[in-house]
Amino acid sequence: REELETQLDIKVDAYIPDDYINDEKQKVEMYRRIASIESKSDYNDVEEEIEDRFGDIAAPVRNLLVMAYIKFLCKKLGITMIEQKDRIIKVQFKGKDSVKPQAIARLIGEYGKKIKFEATVNPSFLFKVDTHDAYKMLLIIKGILEKIIYFHES
């Protein structure tokens, strides 16, 4: 099975600042740990470890963590791209087999007119977020992806 590469084009500061972790070796190690997130429990463990070792999590680090988790969710769902244009988020699937129609129906049922589905060769959906706050936007994306997984599994 080929490795799915997901492109996240979201305007958000996501990095580890020097004043948060100034030791280069520790920083590289944390980037590696964050990049290896492959489950909800990985996400929670890494978040806890960072907080234990370095104190309150700096905003760009929190963004980086959520983005790594979003990437994992995308891989699980066969999503090739998430793109942000102002307050419109576009989520694109690899192919029509990636997404179950009943999951989309339930999503539309829950979000109504806020979500617009495009059934093309690479199905996608658009939704509008009512915030310019980068972290809140990431949490909204994360929540929608978690819902799709839940709808797929139930």
Side-chain angles (χ1 to χ4, degrees):
R1 210 178 97 149
E2 72 185 83
E3 192 66 18
L4 182 75
E5 195 49 50
T6 302
Q7 182 187 333
L8 295 182
D9 183 8
I10 305 169
K11 286 148 201 68
V12 58
D13 289 331
Y15 63 96
I16 301 172
D18 292 337
D19 62 359
Y20 186 68
I21 302 176
N22 54 19
D23 180 281
E24 230 18 73
K25 256 172 86 171
Q26 285 184 322
K27 191 186 278 193
V28 169
E29 178 198 341
M30 287 325 309
Y31 272 119
R32 217 187 335 263
R33 292 271 293 121
I34 291 169
S36 71
I37 289 174
E38 289 197 334
S39 69
K40 179 93 171 167
S41 68
D42 281 355
Y43 170 75
N44 293 333
D45 292 347
V46 174
E47 184 178 44
E48 204 173 292
E49 180 187 344
I50 291 173
E51 208 153 20
D52 288 349
R53 287 176 62 185
F54 307 104
D56 285 346
I57 299 178
V61 179
R62 192 167 294 286
N63 293 343
L64 188 65
L65 269 168
V66 178
M67 284 190 63
Y69 182 61
I70 286 173
K71 251 191 156 146
F72 152 73
L73 294 173
C74 287
K75 210 177 275 189
K76 193 169 171 167
L77 286 166
I79 292 170
T80 54
M81 182 188 70
I82 296 183
E83 182 181 36
Q84 173 202 350
K85 285 197 172 107
D86 193 31
R87 293 186 335 191
I88 304 288
I89 308 292
K90 179 180 183 175
V91 176
Q92 186 172 311
F93 292 89
K94 183 176 188 217
K96 56 184 187 304
D97 299 337
S98 304
V99 60
K100 291 184 179 168
Q102 68 267 27
I104 295 306
R106 288 178 69 182
L107 206 58
I108 291 168
E110 190 152 327
Y111 290 93
K113 291 196 183 338
K114 277 188 177 175
I115 212 158
K116 186 175 146 228
F117 203 75
E118 297 175 343
T120 55
V121 178
N122 298 320
S124 62
F125 65 87
L126 302 166
F127 63 94
K128 192 171 186 167
V129 289
D130 39 18
T131 182
H132 279 287
D133 180 286
Y135 183 62
K136 283 183 184 157
M137 195 176 298
L138 289 175
L139 291 182
I140 292 168
I141 294 168
K142 172 181 165 283
I144 288 177
L145 297 181
E146 286 175 331
K147 270 199 180 111
I148 296 171
I149 287 176
Y150 172 74
F151 292 156
H152 269 223
E153 294 170 352
S154 59

